[in-house]
Amino acid sequence: MVVGKPFLTVEQIHGKVKELADVISDEYEGKNLLAVGILKGAFIFFSDIVRLIRTPLVVDFLIASSYVKSDSCGEVKMHYDIREDVSDKDVLLIDDIVDTGITLNYLRERVLMKAPRSLRICAFLDKADRRQVAVPLDYVGFRIPNEFVVGYGLDFDNKFRNLPYISIFKKTA
Ligand code: IMP
Ligand code: MG
């Protein structure tokens, strides 16, 4: 297993997080923001971006899994659901990466059934070429090619989440 040099450096990552946070801060001024981190993958991105958003907000989490090793198994399992009342909230789902779109589409529909005041999605990485289910993304950090990436919260087999940068992961025989 090989983790290569940075594909996105710490500086590129932090510059982009600040950019996204600035746009979100402006667009959510005067709203009732509930920032929902989708765990585990988004835990670092989520904690970075919420600290840069200048509007008041409440946080909650969703824990879901749909991945076995590096291949999506296409089935979403829920481990923790939002506890906050969303009926008066402007919900912003914050995810690490959108690949097939299956997970986020499932979570989006699940949240919509609870009738939030509004619902938007922020994803740090978008592997658009891999999409199987269309999901509307309101804020995207980087569009990346079809490569498996690790670091900055993203894992392979639950490892490498603590790398401060994002790297392309290559499996050796
Ligand atoms: P989707 O349902 O196929 O869109 O998969 C979404 C989830 O799979 C993401 O939230 C990640 O947790 C995981 N995932 C997808 N692509 C990658 C990758 O390149 N590296 C690490 N995790 C990934
Ligand atoms: Mg995820």
Side-chain angles (χ1 to χ4, degrees):
M1 293 188 283
V2 179
V3 174
K5 59 181 180 0
F7 168 68
L8 293 169
T9 64
V10 169
E11 292 73 24
Q12 283 173 302
I13 291 170
H14 290 159
K16 186 60 78 176
V17 175
K18 175 84 174 73
E19 238 177 69
L20 290 169
D22 284 346
V23 176
I24 291 167
S25 300
D26 289 346
E27 295 189 3
Y28 279 85
E29 216 181 283
K31 297 200 173 171
N32 199 9
L33 176 56
L34 171 63
V36 177
I38 299 176
L39 301 180
K40 298 177 189 172
F43 81 111
I44 294 179
F45 174 48
F46 183 81
S47 58
D48 278 352
I49 197 164
V50 292
R51 284 180 293 171
L52 294 172
I53 295 175
R54 297 180 306 273
T55 45
L57 58 80
V58 170
V59 305
D60 207 340
F61 298 95
L62 276 169
I63 308 182
S65 58
S66 66
Y67 246 65
V68 176
K69 298 280 173 73
S70 64
D71 292 309
S72 177
C73 63
E75 191 191 313
V76 182
K77 282 206 189 92
M78 283 296 297
H79 306 285
Y80 177 88
D81 206 347
I82 298 173
R83 300 286 294 273
E84 289 292 322
D85 176 8
V86 301
S87 60
D88 61 341
K89 305 282 193 322
D90 296 293
V91 177
L92 180 62
L93 295 182
I94 298 182
D95 207 356
D96 53 352
I97 186 166
V98 190
D99 186 37
T100 63
I102 291 170
T103 315
L104 206 47
N105 180 59
Y106 173 85
L107 295 176
R108 177 178 175 271
E109 288 184 351
R110 208 181 156 100
V111 176
L112 280 177
M113 290 206 300
K114 300 180 181 188
R117 195 152 80 180
S118 69
L119 177 62
R120 286 188 187 171
I121 297 175
C122 172
F124 191 58
L125 303 176
D126 179 12
K127 275 203 263 189
D129 294 344
R130 291 257 307 164
R131 201 73 86 252
Q132 290 176 24
V133 183
V135 195
L137 301 180
D138 302 282
Y139 309 99
V140 172
F142 296 97
R143 276 189 72 163
I144 64 164
N146 180 14
E147 299 275 8
F148 198 83
V149 288
V150 294
Y152 197 60
L154 291 147
D155 72 305
F156 171 77
D157 207 10
N158 232 346
K159 300 182 191 86
F160 309 112
R161 293 191 195 275
N162 59 324
L163 275 184
Y165 54 86
I166 290 169
S167 186
I168 291 174
F169 180 79
K170 300 274 182 216
K171 240 198 276 190
T172 49

